[in-house]
Amino acid sequence: IKKISQIYIVACGSAYHVGVVAQYVMEDLAKIPVRVELASEFRYRKPLLDPDGLVIVISQSGETADSLAALRLAKDKGLRTLGIVNVVGSSIARESDLVLYTKAGSEIAVATTKAYSAQTALLSLIALNIGQKNISKAELKELLESIKKLPAQMEILLNKDKKYQEIAETIYNKEDIFFIGRDIDYAIAMEGSLKLKEISYIHSEAYPAGELKHGTISLIEEGTPVISIVTNKNIAEKTISNIKEVKSRGAEVILLTNSKCDVDSDFYNKKIVIPTTHKLIQPLLTILPLQKISYEVAKLRGADIDQPKNLAKSVTVE
Ligand code: G6P
């Protein structure tokens, strides 16, 4: 991996969203160019691939038809391939040159949660492994210590059911819900939005906060929920100014933030404070409240949370 020129991450659904997180983390830490692609697009768009590149296919099931086809295309073109797979012995695991198992245990619910977290953790560790030479000893130590604290911090977040129920009460009967964020927070917004629409059937969209003014802002009305994610203090101010824009148009702002970012209480209706950690592993914490809120919303709407309509756990046909 240390000799490769470029990484192509290919996946579908939530696994693709893991790829979007990994793109930010890998480029920041490992300093290798990363391109993330949806497998269903990659397989048909005649991609120009650098022969010294590595194709990483992320898949919980290891059987998703488009991801498998993308893997075969990459191999036909002579690129090395790495599968990040949960199901041992699955097609993608068998056909990849290298495989790393996420070992999240079997996942039954259609909408992925723990596999998403395991994939994100694994890719972050790969980035750290490649990129440790690019950071100071002190930062490496801080990162490793932050990783060790994650399980306890996750536990805290998973035990805030009352808070998630309270937020779900305010949004479960809405028709449109928007998610905004910048940088890695945008990658998390994408997954939060997918989770919500998959299991609650509410229309939702994730938008990079800076793009709001190029479209979505026209849809913001009195009472439209905007779930706003602000965890990186370096760009917090920019996202906060977008939050002000939606708030002044009547949006109901649900803010996810940490102690590093200071957001004036005039600009949100509800707030969830996420434990602070190193910015590159923050996604592992930020996603949890979003998964739990989706769960509580779906419950209030009487939806079948484990088996949402029209969706399959593993999509083995095109
Ligand atoms: C389906 C599942 C999603 C999953 C996607 C990709 O749509 O409902 O949760 O992210 O397939 O599946 P894979 O097994 O390749 O990760």
Side-chain angles (χ1 to χ4, degrees), residues 5-288:
S5 58
Q6 158 94 44
I7 293 174
Y8 306 94
I9 300 180
V10 190
C12 299
S14 294
Y16 167 76
H17 292 159
V18 172
V20 182
V21 171
Q23 179 179 32
Y24 288 109
V25 179
M26 289 229 172
E27 291 199 336
D28 191 324
L29 210 49
K31 311 287 181 215
I32 295 178
V34 179
R35 183 166 176 156
V36 197
E37 302 228 22
L38 287 162
S40 54
E41 289 295 314
F42 180 85
R43 64 181 291 194
Y44 291 120
R45 74 164 184 82
K46 302 190 179 64
L48 293 176
L49 302 174
D50 183 339
D52 293 327
L54 172 76
V55 173
I56 301 182
V57 180
I58 310 172
S59 176
Q60 188 285 131
S61 63
E63 301 295 349
T64 302
D66 284 323
S67 302
L68 185 57
L71 170 72
R72 289 177 178 159
L73 184 146
K75 286 183 77 179
D76 282 351
K77 289 189 175 260
L79 274 84
R80 301 206 70 190
T81 55
L82 165 65
I84 305 280
V85 181
N86 198 41
V87 176
V88 175
S90 55
S91 302
I92 293 173
R94 280 187 279 109
E95 294 191 29
S96 301
D97 296 322
L98 305 163
V99 59
L100 283 170
Y101 286 113
T102 37
K103 297 192 175 175
S106 69
E107 193 175 59
I108 309 297
V110 167
T112 180
T113 48
K114 64 179 180 177
Y116 173 91
S117 295
Q119 289 159 350
T120 305
L122 184 49
L123 279 151
S124 303
L125 288 174
I126 294 173
L128 180 57
N129 198 288
I130 307 172
Q132 51 184 304
K133 61 181 185 308
N134 302 323
I135 55 178
S136 66
K137 278 214 168 105
E139 191 178 358
L140 180 62
K141 192 163 172 251
E142 187 208 327
L143 242 166
L144 293 173
E145 274 166 12
S146 304
I147 291 170
K148 283 190 195 145
K149 283 189 202 147
L150 279 175
Q153 292 176 321
M154 286 177 157
E155 206 64 46
I156 295 171
L157 273 177
L158 289 172
N159 286 323
K160 288 190 176 188
D161 284 349
K162 273 227 165 72
K163 184 91 194 170
Y164 306 135
Q165 281 156 7
E166 189 193 304
I167 290 170
E169 289 280 350
T170 65
I171 60 174
Y172 81 99
N173 54 6
K174 301 282 181 177
E175 288 184 0
D176 307 288
I177 298 181
F178 297 94
F179 289 70
I180 60 168
R182 280 172 192 260
D183 198 84
I184 293 184
D185 289 341
Y186 168 55
I188 293 299
M190 291 169 87
E191 177 60 7
S193 166
L194 176 62
K195 214 83 294 165
L196 184 74
K197 67 163 83 86
E198 273 181 312
I199 63 171
S200 75
Y201 317 137
I202 298 178
H203 165 246
S204 75
E205 270 183 60
Y207 243 67
E211 275 289 298
L212 269 174
K213 55 185 164 304
H214 300 294
T216 299
I217 196 122
S218 64
L219 300 172
I220 305 297
E221 292 173 355
E222 198 60 42
T224 307
V226 178
I227 301 185
S228 310
I229 311 173
V230 186
T231 68
N232 180 348
K233 74 170 186 318
N234 300 332
I235 43 170
E237 203 189 304
K238 300 286 170 193
T239 311
I240 293 166
S241 85
N242 301 123
I243 292 174
K244 286 181 194 167
E245 284 162 6
V246 293
K247 191 84 180 73
S248 68
R249 285 162 179 84
E252 170 120 357
V253 174
I254 296 153
L255 177 73
L256 265 75
T257 191
N258 58 22
S259 59
K260 287 187 195 163
C261 306
D262 193 19
V263 186
D264 193 297
S265 61
D266 286 350
F267 303 125
Y268 59 82
N269 301 78
K270 298 232 169 342
K271 175 163 95 164
I272 296 174
V273 180
I274 305 158
T276 304
T277 186
H278 190 286
K279 75 174 188 329
L280 297 177
I281 53 167
Q282 185 78 59
L284 288 162
L285 297 178
T286 314
I287 192 58
L288 300 181

